[in-house]
Amino acid sequence: MMTTNLHLVSQLIFKMKKIIETERIILRELEDSDIDLLAEIYADIEVMRYIGKGIVLSYEQAKRSIENWNKYYEKFGFGNWAAIEKESGKFIGLCGLSWLEDKSDVEVSYLFAKESWGKGYATETASAINEYGFNVVGLKRIAALVYPQNTASIHVIEKLGMKYECDRIFFGDKLLRVYSLEKSKT
């Protein structure tokens, strides 16, 4: 029975437009079928507390988010992607690269459903995303924004080798820490 389930998961993975694959996660372009699960994640205040403006988002905003990210891919060749857990085939979050609102840097970001927290997925995916940004997109530098209170995310960012630069206001009135990583010269 387990072999059959794994076979079905692998069949689904081959049909996806895969962007990045890690040991446990597939990052692929977002699809309309992701709306319900993304809306569930967006509706969880614990998940959204340190994302963007720190507020929950509606089903309609989840739907628009997917539409907007699909346009973003076409325009920039990167964006936020669906995070699919390989073992279960389940949509567990949103991760990727995007320009900061002032276009000064490209940011690595990750957002996972609460049941996926504490499993190392953020470090695993963000590391692969940074590598993709440097080696495929051709970026020379990648930034990360984090709320000062989000110690778990600060830990992830520091494990990636990203260095603190400064605190800046984003999203109108949110004071966030800016970290960055330069492409190695080797």
Side-chain angles (χ1 to χ4, degrees):
M1 178 92 156
M2 183 63 163
T3 304
T4 304
N5 288 341
L6 288 175
H7 179 69
L8 290 174
V9 169
S10 67
Q11 292 285 12
L12 290 172
I13 290 170
F14 283 119
K15 292 181 182 179
M16 298 181 216
K17 185 154 186 198
K18 181 173 58 172
I19 307 296
I20 297 172
E21 182 174 354
T22 70
E23 181 181 335
R24 300 175 296 159
I25 303 290
I26 299 275
L27 297 180
R28 63 153 169 82
E29 288 186 4
L30 287 156
E31 302 170 349
D32 290 341
S33 61
D34 298 325
I35 294 170
D36 290 340
L37 295 170
L38 182 58
E40 278 182 45
I41 294 170
Y42 278 0
D44 187 332
I45 187 58
E46 284 187 70
V47 172
M48 298 302 291
R49 176 174 289 120
Y50 299 127
I51 303 295
K53 294 181 179 184
I55 58 174
V56 297
L57 301 176
S58 69
Y59 182 89
E60 280 304 312
Q61 287 169 309
K63 184 177 179 181
R64 274 197 310 277
S65 177
I66 290 173
E67 292 167 358
N68 290 339
W69 283 119
N70 285 329
K71 291 175 189 170
Y72 201 92
Y73 303 145
E74 291 175 23
K75 185 173 182 178
F76 296 109
F78 57 84
N80 269 320
W81 302 296
I84 308 300
E85 186 181 54
K86 282 185 186 180
E87 185 177 327
S88 67
K90 183 178 179 187
F91 177 99
I92 60 168
L94 193 66
C95 309
L97 294 167
S98 60
W99 285 100
L100 296 181
E101 57 190 18
D102 66 0
K103 302 285 192 267
S104 61
D105 269 314
V106 173
E107 173 193 16
V108 61
S109 61
Y110 44 86
L111 164 72
F112 288 99
K114 199 172 1 181
E115 61 268 12
S116 297
W117 290 2
K119 297 181 178 182
Y121 290 155
T123 304
E124 183 177 328
T125 57
S127 177
I129 291 165
N130 283 349
E131 185 178 315
Y132 181 90
F134 291 136
N135 298 322
V136 177
V137 178
L139 300 173
K140 303 292 181 222
R141 169 188 156 91
I142 296 175
L145 304 180
V146 62
Y147 280 75
Q149 309 87 335
N150 190 348
T151 55
S153 199
I154 290 170
H155 181 70
V156 167
I157 290 166
E158 289 175 345
K159 278 175 48 177
L160 297 172
M162 300 185 94
K163 302 295 181 209
Y164 171 78
E165 287 188 356
C166 64
D167 289 352
R168 283 184 42 203
I169 300 291
F170 288 89
F171 311 112
D173 63 351
K174 303 297 180 190
L175 183 67
L176 301 178
R177 289 185 178 167
V178 179
Y179 286 75
S180 70
L181 182 65
E182 304 276 334
K183 182 175 182 176
S184 73
K185 308 273 188 262
T186 58

